[in-house]
Amino acid sequence: MLGLMMDQQLLISSIADHAARYHGDTEIVSLNSDGSQFRYDYSGAHGNMLKLAGALEKLGLEKTDRVATLAWNNHRHFEIYFAVSGNGQICHTLNPRLFPEQLIYIINHAEDKALFFDQTFLPLVEGLRKHLGTIKHFVLMEDHDSELAKTHPWLSFYGDLLADSDENYSWPDNIDERDACSLCYTSGTTGNPKGVLFSHRSTLIHAMMSATPDVMNFSARDCLLPVVPMFHVNAWGTPYAAPMVGAKLVLPGPGLDGESLTKLFLAEGVTISAGVPTIWGGLLDYLDANNIKLPDMKRTVVGGSACPPSMLDRFRDDYDIEVLHAWGMTELSPLGTVNNIKNKHLKMPEDELRQLRTLQGRPPFGVELGIFDDEAKQLPNDGKSQGDLYCRGPWVMSEYFGGEGGDPLVDGWFPTGDVATLDEDGFMCIRDRSKDIIKSGGEWISSVELENLAMGHPDIGDAAVIAASHKKWSERPLLIVVPKDGIQIDEKVLLEYYQGKVAKWWIPDAVIVTKEIPRNATGKIRKNVLREEYGNSLR
Ligand code: AMP
């Protein structure tokens, strides 16, 4: 017997409609590529979304056509998210930090039909254009510029698309919640990037859960500034969750340095933010150096890489800001776990609680996690057993776009490629990427833990730990550091710092001082590059 409830589809357009209907006057503040500011509200955004959807129709774009973006976090990018998906096309966000060859590969692989881009990326697009055979429309996300139109006859202008569109356009009614709405390629540290194709349904359920108190805790009283780029797994779903709850939204444009962010946080009364640890390091240094506090800021989500415990302490002790340490990946939309404690932890002794808060957190409803040994046998959630992390749930990918890489699932689980422990409450500790973990004399050493400790040292600006080949132990940890400005590193003193903090045999064998730790387009350490360069330095 079927339930007798209305069968309404969970569609991206319904979020925009809701925000316009009940939070129409809630502000959206956006910084353009040239630094100028634009302000309007959910009602204004909704009007533009519908106009843009009408314009997509006029351009001849059909259902499931991929529409790519190369853009910062700004109001036009926000409108494109909703107009494209709402209209039945697929919003394909491109990471401008990728190498041009990777962008060409991804755009051609996705067979994108249109490309919307910020002024900043005009030179990049000019260089790529001749390699992009499938793209019929190159749309600059600016008002009409007659000079540019003369020199670049192949360009369309966002402003013109809106101006020429039908005022009374309404969303098409042929979209099913299981249809695809957006596409994002994984960073691909090895091999070609692969596409993850999200559905309306998965995106809506993910956004609903992400707003709940034990996840990111967004409400209509919040002012949210997503530092995480809209080209990095849909800014972790925040552009959907904010209008869903009616939070004020601040879109920071390209200026993600400590000073620019501080100005925006203060001027707009930002209460919650989200981003990767590297960005927060820059912000904290700026706040320290200028003796500035952020009185409105209550919490920030930190994920994408392990948040060093020293960063958690700085946020809490010096700025009274709660860090929500989160773990996720593109294949999980991206939310997997967030660190929020339970009732039974409220009376926990301070140092134990501090330790608990350093973990990656626990899964919300909608994510099931398991750890497995080499024979795919599930291991207990005892906080000690370490194994390959698998997951499943309604916002977890089932296969890559275009069937790339074959069937990725193992008995219905998605193997994440991470190695972790889980305790009985589901609190997870990421020990490493499985290919980065150090196997010394048959025992495992977590490079993440050694990096976290190094990042807590006052002289260290950035750090990575890799497995270096070793005659006796097969692999040993090697610490690679970037000292803070003007600091000379003494290898012996630095290694002594690990004494008492980890088992003796975990202490790295040597230290290499370098100018920069190589990172990929989403800020993750490129350990393959480091291994190539330094992997034999202990032989
Ligand atoms: P991506 O799909 O580019 O977002 O990368 C996902 C990967 O980033 C995960 O599989 C983890 O290896 C890593 N990652 C994300 N968040 C964390 C975290 N909080 N701690 C440690 N690793 C993380």
Side-chain angles (χ1 to χ4, degrees):
M1 187 188 290
L2 290 177
L4 297 173
M5 305 307 282
M6 292 187 192
D7 195 17
Q8 285 200 5
Q9 303 284 321
L10 300 174
L11 300 180
I12 300 289
S13 55
S14 64
I15 304 177
D17 293 345
H18 170 83
R21 198 175 293 128
Y22 301 113
H23 303 283
D25 63 352
T26 298
E27 263 191 310
I28 300 174
V29 182
S30 166
L31 260 78
N32 296 316
S33 308
D34 64 2
S36 61
Q37 203 179 77
F38 178 81
R39 309 179 85 90
Y40 65 161
D41 53 26
Y42 281 122
S43 169
H46 186 250
N48 284 356
M49 287 166 190
L50 280 168
K51 280 192 205 162
L52 180 58
L56 297 172
E57 182 91 352
K58 268 196 175 172
L59 290 178
L61 291 167
E62 291 176 1
K63 201 175 163 192
T64 77
D65 277 349
R66 269 75 73 198
V67 174
T69 63
L70 256 178
W72 303 113
N73 292 10
N74 58 43
H75 68 287
R76 284 179 167 144
H77 204 179
F78 180 68
E79 291 169 5
I80 294 167
Y81 259 47
F82 287 87
V84 170
S85 305
N87 205 43
Q89 281 92 39
I90 297 169
C91 183
H92 176 198
T93 48
L94 296 165
N95 186 337
R97 297 189 189 124
L98 292 171
F99 295 116
E101 306 78 62
Q102 286 175 306
L103 284 170
I104 293 167
Y105 170 85
I106 290 175
I107 293 170
N108 287 327
H109 188 266
E111 299 174 35
D112 294 327
K113 290 276 162 37
L115 173 62
F116 284 71
F117 59 98
D118 275 334
Q119 183 98 39
T120 325
F121 304 118
L122 180 56
L124 173 64
V125 174
E126 282 185 288
L128 297 179
R129 199 165 68 92
K130 61 177 180 298
H131 304 284
L132 309 178
T134 59
I135 296 197
K136 305 275 176 299
H137 309 283
F138 289 90
V139 185
L140 185 69
M141 290 160 62
E142 293 290 337
D143 288 336
H144 188 85
D145 179 329
S146 31
E147 280 307 305
L148 260 185
K150 261 189 235 146
T151 52
H152 296 68
W154 47 276
L155 274 184
S156 310
F157 293 90
Y158 194 92
D160 291 346
L161 291 189
L162 293 199
D164 299 343
S165 175
D166 174 4
E167 277 285 328
N168 301 312
Y169 189 79
S170 53
W171 302 119
D173 56 9
N174 61 345
I175 302 169
D176 185 274
E177 63 182 29
R178 286 185 166 78
D179 286 340
C181 66
S182 64
L183 177 64
C184 183
Y185 279 67
T186 56
S187 26
T189 33
T190 51
N192 278 324
K194 293 199 263 311
V196 179
L197 189 62
F198 308 102
S199 70
H200 287 258
R201 178 185 146 84
S202 69
T203 306
L204 251 82
I205 301 176
H206 176 269
M208 278 186 213
M209 271 317 292
S210 73
T212 58
D214 269 359
V215 187
M216 297 196 201
N217 192 6
F218 297 142
S219 81
R221 279 135 347 260
D222 275 314
C223 172
L224 167 73
L225 185 153
V227 177
V228 49
M230 291 169 76
F231 53 76
H232 189 189
V233 218
N234 296 331
W236 302 349
T238 54
Y240 305 111
M244 191 176 260
V245 301
K248 174 178 168 181
L249 190 59
V250 181
L251 299 167
L256 304 179
D257 56 287
E259 183 178 1
S260 311
L261 287 177
T262 301
K263 275 191 190 148
L264 263 183
F265 281 134
L266 288 172
E268 301 303 332
V270 173
T271 57
I272 179 158
S273 187
V276 296
T278 338
I279 290 285
W280 298 126
L283 177 85
L284 287 170
D285 288 347
Y286 180 80
L287 294 175
D288 284 355
N290 295 282
N291 201 14
I292 298 175
K293 301 278 181 217
L294 300 175
D296 296 308
M297 188 77 167
K298 301 281 181 302
R299 54 203 187 282
T300 185
V301 184
V302 181
S305 307
C307 176
S310 54
M311 183 173 278
L312 268 135
D313 292 345
R314 276 173 89 186
F315 266 119
R316 188 196 50 204
D317 299 342
D318 302 344
Y319 296 97
D320 203 15
I321 295 171
E322 187 190 359
V323 168
L324 303 175
H325 190 192
W327 166 88
M329 56 196 309
T330 311
E331 290 86 341
L332 268 82
S333 306
L335 197 70
T337 59
V338 182
N339 196 320
N340 274 298
I341 58 167
K342 296 180 168 185
N343 181 286
K344 69 178 179 187
H345 299 128
L346 290 173
K347 295 205 177 81
M348 215 178 199
E350 187 62 24
D351 52 335
E352 278 177 46
L353 193 57
R354 181 183 172 276
Q355 179 57 29
L356 183 72
R357 305 272 349 196
T358 62
L359 306 178
Q360 275 76 8
R362 59 193 167 85
F365 169 78
V367 176
E368 189 187 352
L369 300 176
I371 45 169
F372 291 81
D373 68 11
D374 289 346
E375 273 89 50
K377 190 173 130 270
Q378 191 158 4
L379 299 170
N381 291 1
D382 56 9
K384 292 189 210 87
S385 306
Q386 177 171 299
D388 293 321
L389 177 70
Y390 289 13
C391 64
R392 57 188 179 191
W395 63 75
V396 179
M397 186 199 75
S398 59
E399 62 178 288
Y400 289 101
F401 181 62
E404 213 60 46
D407 179 4
L409 303 190
V410 179
D411 290 337
W413 292 82
F414 174 74
T416 64
D418 285 339
V419 174
T421 61
L422 283 171
D423 74 11
E424 61 275 18
D425 294 313
F427 276 89
M428 182 179 75
C429 178
I430 293 280
R431 310 294 288 172
D432 243 314
R433 290 294 292 166
S434 52
K435 58 185 186 310
D436 295 336
I437 201 152
I438 303 156
K439 214 151 190 201
S440 174
E443 298 288 341
W444 285 6
I445 299 175
S446 158
S447 68
V448 175
E449 196 168 331
L450 295 176
E451 282 159 9
N452 278 342
L453 283 167
M455 289 301 288
H457 191 286
D459 294 345
I460 302 298
D462 203 359
V465 173
I466 59 161
S469 309
H470 193 276
K471 252 200 194 131
K472 181 169 177 197
W473 302 109
S474 129
E475 287 177 359
R476 288 293 301 153
L478 176 71
L479 172 62
I480 301 159
V481 295
V482 179
K484 285 200 175 146
D485 281 350
I487 302 273
Q488 284 285 338
I489 295 290
D490 180 323
E491 174 171 4
K492 210 164 146 253
V493 176
L494 182 57
L495 291 178
E496 265 163 25
Y497 169 77
Y498 280 105
Q499 293 283 354
K501 296 187 173 77
V502 289
K504 262 212 165 75
W505 59 276
W506 274 46
I507 298 177
D509 279 22
V511 180
I512 285 178
V513 176
T514 180
K515 287 204 176 68
E516 197 184 9
I517 302 286
R519 291 181 182 273
N520 73 8
T522 55
K524 292 185 176 53
I525 300 172
R526 296 174 69 201
K527 295 215 175 164
N528 49 341
V529 172
L530 289 175
R531 274 195 297 264
E532 239 164 65
E533 193 160 350
Y534 304 115
N536 287 323
S537 54
L538 296 180
R539 276 180 177 274

